[in-house]
Amino acid sequence: MSKLNTRQREAVHYISGPLLVLAGAGSGKTSVITTKITYLIEQCGISARNIAAVTFTNKAAREMRERVSKLLPSRETRGLIVATFHNLGLTILRDEHAALGYKSGFSIFDAEDARSLLREIMLRDFEDDSDEINDVQSMISNLKNDMKSPAEALSMAESARDQRIAQIYAKYCQYLKAYNAMDFDDLIMLVVRLFRENKEILTKWQNRVRYLLVDEYQDTNISQYELVRMLVDGRSQFTVVGDDDQSIYAWRGARPENLVKLKSDFPSLKVIKLEQNYRSTGRILKAANAVIANNEHVFEKALWSDLGYGDEIRVLQTRNEDAECERIASEIIDHKLKNRTDYKDYSVLYRGNHQSRLLEMKLQAYQIPYRLSGGTSFFAKNEIKDAMAYLRLLINPDDDAAFLRIVNVPRREIGPSTLEKLGEYATERNISLTSAVEELGLEQRLSPRAVEKLRRFRTWLAETMRKCSQDDAVTELKRMFVDIEYEDWLHQTSNTPKQAEKRMANVWYLIDNVKYMLDRDKGTADEIGLEEAVSKLLLRDMLEQQEEDDDSDKVHLLTLHASKGLEFPHVFIMGLEEEILPHRSSIEEGNVAEERRLMYVGITRARKTLTLTYAAQRKQYGEKIETIPSRFLDEMPEEDLHWEGRGQSDPEANKAKGAATLASLRNLMSQ
């Protein structure tokens, strides 16, 4: 507690009613949350199992857990919930799934799984070539986040397109239920629906969560807000921490107005502002405050720091996008040589992923190591998930999630009603779906044609398993993908033949990995079989998912959206031009306020230095156009900016800069 400032201590001690902590960037909000958890347990007599702290990312939840574990012995934190919103929803649904008609072991569809199912529905049931699959998926996600059922979506439809999307939404929900599966949005929406329909279950969880803490509250959508409101209803014992200036996820349903809504839903709400920043220099914060002041505010605040005023903010104008990326690469090399820093101290932020392509080429040319955040993992690719599901089912026929993923991939004319009845029968008998296929009792539930199709698949699976165990496993695995005509399926579901070929090559690469693992220790005491090889691949998948925590010495390249919650000693923000930042669509829609919040987030990632770049000319549709510098540059204090490249070059300054770089290089080499 002694390490906290006055405002932070006030936020920790206040437990007599609902509390909103308005926490600016870098103001130590995680310290407030973790210290408050400790205070509630040690000083207020609230059992750890009756406290829940909720945030948005696994990384943030992990950091909270680690900090709490350093403050309290493990016996005192037993039962404490520190989780993401989705993990909290999953915890509740694991206990209460039966009340919603789900069986245990339900599957969770990630974005790729959901997109694949939607593409299948649109192609088969709506004769749609699925060109707008991403739009449809986004609209369905928004409907779920807004707590709208398919029937409500249909009644709200104002156009033929809206009606079609509502019908796709209905089919999508039907298939998910048949697969005993949920998508990420369901993990919140279904809990809220359950609480609304079952007061007994709601009361049970209200008694379980006697004090609730919520991080990044400005990012909550309607369903998340409703989940929080229902959990604390009646008792109003909660602390929410948020910053309306960092609300940058409206495109995925976040409602910054939820901070304001708290005041009307909880009239006794107390507001405490955290304005001291522990991350950035005073000059960087002055620029951030000046930019965000151009947005309308319900809650006014201004960040300040006692870390010194700091270096000037550099603004670099370059000839074109090629020169912009070249300049960033050379600036990183130059600064690193002069200051003996690490590559991981640098981050380059941009508005859209497409901006990183040319930058990557320049960094490679300069042999600068980098890591690109947000890329698709090999194991996250749809075709690899399919292939891994087949491998999982071969080594474990009772893997229901794997069965449901590939029983109709490629199509075997096994529809959702068949799978729903199969699931109901398996649940009643308490057996796996694969085992249920073989039972005579299933014939009383399904038509002879449906049973025949399921048993044909089960027989084929059993025969493939037998061959893999008796013959050369890798040869049989390759034959399996040929037998099911998986490459033809990829051609049907890919946008181009070239994409289908690339996806099939990924599957063969996976099988080659299996072969390598089987051959590596052949004839030795460490020789492994197919089951162990597949298990090791699954473990590799899990390790690959943890690569985001990679701390190797590389420059960080990431979008402004992805940078939220991170900080770096030296930050470059590129593309400071109208129609890039702020983005053209936001300008056209009159939503520059969110773009300004995005700029604010980018500025406040920087601890020591901030460099902003833009191109005077940029290619667009094959033609060179003159750009307009971003309005956000005009909103920053002119006296704190150092412009380069706008007017006449200064030969003496360039000469001095070059001499300093050479001196740094000589000094480095001599040591």
Side-chain angles (χ1 to χ4, degrees):
M1 195 75 75
S2 62
K3 295 179 182 178
L4 303 184
N5 64 38
T6 304
R7 292 276 182 86
Q8 290 172 327
R9 282 197 295 274
E10 183 185 2
V12 168
H13 287 140
Y14 187 80
I15 62 163
S16 56
L19 172 65
L20 165 60
V21 179
L22 202 66
S27 61
K29 62 183 176 63
T30 305
S31 294
V32 168
I33 293 171
T34 52
T35 308
K36 187 154 193 171
I37 291 170
T38 307
Y39 179 73
L40 290 167
I41 294 170
E42 286 194 325
Q43 304 297 321
C44 304
I46 300 177
S47 170
R49 74 176 309 276
N50 295 130
I51 299 170
V54 187
T55 187
F56 278 85
T57 67
N58 286 317
K59 184 178 180 181
R62 186 164 61 247
E63 183 183 356
M64 277 190 207
R65 277 194 297 270
E66 287 171 356
R67 289 206 198 181
V68 170
S69 68
K70 290 175 182 176
L71 295 171
L72 287 172
S74 58
R75 68 178 182 278
E76 291 188 28
T77 60
R78 196 167 293 124
L80 173 69
I81 296 175
V82 180
T84 64
F85 267 101
H86 292 99
N87 272 322
L88 175 63
L90 183 58
T91 298
I92 295 170
L93 289 169
R94 277 182 178 145
D95 276 9
E96 316 296 351
H97 60 270
L100 288 163
Y102 285 84
K103 66 177 215 170
S104 60
F106 53 82
S107 302
I108 307 299
F109 276 29
D110 65 14
E112 274 302 315
D113 293 329
R115 191 176 297 118
S116 178
L117 176 56
L118 281 169
R119 186 182 289 113
E120 171 91 0
I121 291 168
M122 292 169 72
L123 197 64
R124 181 178 56 234
D125 298 329
F126 294 86
E127 298 181 354
D128 192 316
D129 60 8
S130 68
D131 278 349
E132 54 176 359
I133 182 71
N134 291 335
D135 286 344
V136 172
Q137 184 175 25
S138 177
M139 290 181 77
I140 289 174
S141 177
N142 288 337
L143 285 165
K144 288 192 174 191
N145 290 335
D146 290 346
M147 295 302 302
K148 302 299 183 188
S149 67
E152 288 173 310
L154 192 58
S155 68
M156 290 162 43
E158 296 179 351
S159 65
R161 183 172 183 266
D162 290 344
Q163 288 182 348
R164 192 172 115 273
I165 287 171
Q167 290 164 350
I168 294 169
Y169 179 23
K171 278 280 185 185
Y172 174 65
C173 291
Q174 182 189 357
Y175 273 79
L176 280 177
K177 191 69 184 293
Y179 293 165
N180 195 43
M182 304 171 187
D183 64 20
F184 270 18
D185 298 318
D186 287 329
L187 297 179
I188 311 297
M189 186 189 79
L190 290 177
V191 174
V192 174
R193 199 180 90 192
L194 177 67
F195 283 173
R196 285 177 177 174
E197 295 171 356
N198 194 313
K199 297 301 178 189
E200 187 178 330
I201 290 176
L202 172 60
T203 302
K204 168 186 168 184
W205 284 94
Q206 285 175 334
N207 290 333
R208 168 71 197 278
V209 181
R210 302 184 72 83
Y211 201 97
L212 181 67
L213 303 100
V214 184
D215 189 20
E216 303 287 9
Y217 197 72
Q218 76 282 348
D219 293 335
T220 55
N221 56 39
I222 287 176
S223 61
Q224 289 160 342
Y225 180 90
E226 192 64 10
L227 174 60
V228 169
R229 191 192 63 77
M230 295 181 84
L231 278 174
V232 302
D233 191 33
R235 190 177 289 114
S236 298
Q237 294 289 296
F238 66 85
T239 296
V240 301
V241 181
D243 181 6
D244 50 347
D245 289 334
Q246 294 189 75
S247 181
I248 58 174
Y249 298 121
W251 50 277
R252 69 183 190 198
R255 303 291 180 99
E257 58 267 30
N258 283 348
L259 286 169
V260 182
K261 202 165 182 283
L262 276 173
K263 292 179 76 174
S264 57
D265 284 349
F266 300 94
S268 62
L269 182 75
K270 183 179 177 67
V271 179
I272 296 174
K273 299 177 185 178
L274 302 184
E275 296 170 295
Q276 182 176 357
N277 175 286
Y278 293 92
R279 173 189 300 159
S280 308
T281 63
R283 196 189 301 265
I284 289 170
L285 297 179
K286 180 182 172 185
N289 289 334
V291 170
I292 206 64
N294 290 276
N295 275 3
E296 292 182 4
H297 286 83
V298 174
F299 305 104
E300 295 291 342
K301 69 176 186 309
L303 295 178
W304 61 275
S305 167
D306 59 8
L307 297 176
Y309 200 54
D311 296 345
E312 285 181 311
I313 296 168
R314 298 173 68 213
V315 184
L316 312 181
Q317 176 186 297
T318 59
R319 293 188 315 280
N320 52 38
E321 61 264 49
D322 188 89
E324 180 185 33
C325 293
E326 179 98 23
R327 182 68 184 271
I328 290 171
S330 64
E331 287 285 337
I332 290 172
I333 287 284
D334 186 61
H335 192 273
K336 184 179 188 301
L337 284 173
K338 288 177 181 174
N339 296 278
R340 311 291 288 277
T341 52
D342 295 322
Y343 283 119
K344 65 183 178 182
D345 293 336
Y346 299 87
S347 175
V348 186
L349 312 181
Y350 36 82
R351 179 62 177 82
N353 278 309
H354 68 280
Q355 292 172 266
S356 71
R357 294 169 194 158
L358 185 55
L359 180 62
E360 286 187 75
M361 292 172 63
K362 297 299 181 184
L363 294 177
Q364 289 169 11
Y366 278 82
Q367 297 185 339
I368 297 173
Y370 65 89
R371 56 180 298 228
L372 188 67
S373 294
T376 303
S377 153
F378 178 74
F379 286 93
K381 296 178 189 295
N382 228 34
E383 64 274 14
I384 298 304
K385 287 189 168 189
D386 288 345
M388 286 300 295
Y390 271 105
L391 297 182
R392 282 161 51 194
L393 207 56
L394 287 175
I395 66 171
N396 176 19
D398 293 330
D399 187 331
D400 281 1
F403 178 95
L404 287 169
R405 180 173 182 92
I406 51 85
V407 69
N408 231 2
V409 176
R411 290 193 198 97
R412 296 184 175 90
E413 297 180 2
I414 300 171
S417 58
T418 296
L419 292 174
E420 189 168 10
K421 289 173 183 174
L422 174 65
E424 288 170 357
Y425 179 80
T427 301
E428 290 171 16
R429 299 277 297 121
N430 198 28
I431 56 177
S432 71
L433 297 172
T434 308
S435 300
V437 170
E438 295 300 316
E439 294 210 344
L440 291 174
L442 188 64
E443 296 173 13
Q444 310 303 314
R445 302 290 185 90
L446 292 171
S447 67
R449 187 169 180 270
V451 172
E452 190 271 331
K453 288 184 183 300
L454 285 168
R455 287 183 178 163
R456 188 192 306 165
F457 172 69
R458 177 68 182 95
T459 302
W460 170 83
L461 181 68
E463 181 62 13
T464 305
M465 290 167 62
R466 185 189 66 77
K467 288 178 179 176
C468 284
S469 63
Q470 294 179 358
D471 304 324
D472 178 67
V474 173
T475 301
E476 292 306 322
L477 290 178
K478 289 181 177 178
R479 185 176 293 143
M480 174 181 73
F481 285 104
V482 173
D483 285 349
I484 64 175
E485 299 178 345
Y486 188 71
E487 188 165 3
D488 290 345
W489 166 255
L490 290 179
H491 278 278
Q492 291 172 39
T493 57
S494 299
N495 294 327
T496 64
K498 189 172 182 180
Q499 185 188 47
E501 290 165 11
K502 189 175 180 180
R503 294 174 70 192
M504 194 66 220
N506 286 335
V507 174
W508 296 137
Y509 178 76
L510 179 73
I511 303 304
D512 286 343
N513 266 267
V514 175
K515 183 179 188 308
Y516 170 75
M517 294 169 77
L518 292 173
D519 290 347
R520 185 177 53 192
D521 301 313
K522 213 168 202 174
T524 71
D526 297 323
E527 183 174 349
I528 63 172
L530 181 62
E531 186 172 338
E532 288 170 283
V534 172
S535 296
K536 287 190 174 184
L537 280 174
L538 289 169
L539 178 60
R540 189 185 299 178
D541 179 16
M542 288 158 56
L543 292 172
E544 192 162 313
Q545 290 173 21
Q546 296 169 9
E547 281 188 349
E548 286 301 307
D549 296 327
D550 176 20
D551 194 38
S552 54
D553 191 23
K554 298 174 184 177
V555 174
H556 299 256
L557 309 185
L558 63 168
T559 65
L560 286 157
H561 282 102
S563 73
K564 189 162 171 293
L566 304 176
E567 60 181 73
F568 307 94
H570 310 288
V571 169
F572 291 79
I573 305 179
M574 62 186 291
L576 264 293
E577 300 153 33
E578 291 290 297
E579 300 195 353
I580 294 181
L581 183 62
H583 196 272
R584 180 194 301 170
S585 61
S586 296
I587 296 171
E588 291 171 351
E589 294 164 6
N591 189 24
V592 173
E594 174 135 343
E595 295 289 300
R596 189 173 282 110
R597 292 195 291 268
L598 198 55
M599 182 66 184
Y600 174 84
V601 165
I603 294 170
T604 54
R605 299 311 94 196
R607 286 166 48 196
K608 296 179 180 178
T609 70
L610 176 64
T611 306
L612 312 172
T613 70
Y614 67 97
Q617 286 186 334
R618 194 173 289 273
K619 274 187 184 176
Q620 197 172 78
Y621 308 115
E623 292 184 14
K624 286 183 180 178
I625 61 162
E626 299 291 327
T627 67
I628 301 172
S630 171
R631 69 190 71 187
F632 300 146
L633 293 172
D634 295 330
E635 294 172 358
M636 299 173 81
E638 181 64 32
E639 65 272 18
D640 293 302
L641 305 183
H642 176 73
W643 294 77
E644 296 181 28
R646 257 197 326 187
Q648 294 293 322
S649 62
D650 185 344
E652 290 302 317
N654 290 342
K655 192 174 179 181
K657 182 179 177 182
T661 302
L662 284 171
S664 298
L665 185 57
R666 288 194 195 99
N667 185 43
L668 184 66
M669 293 180 72
S670 68
Q671 292 182 13

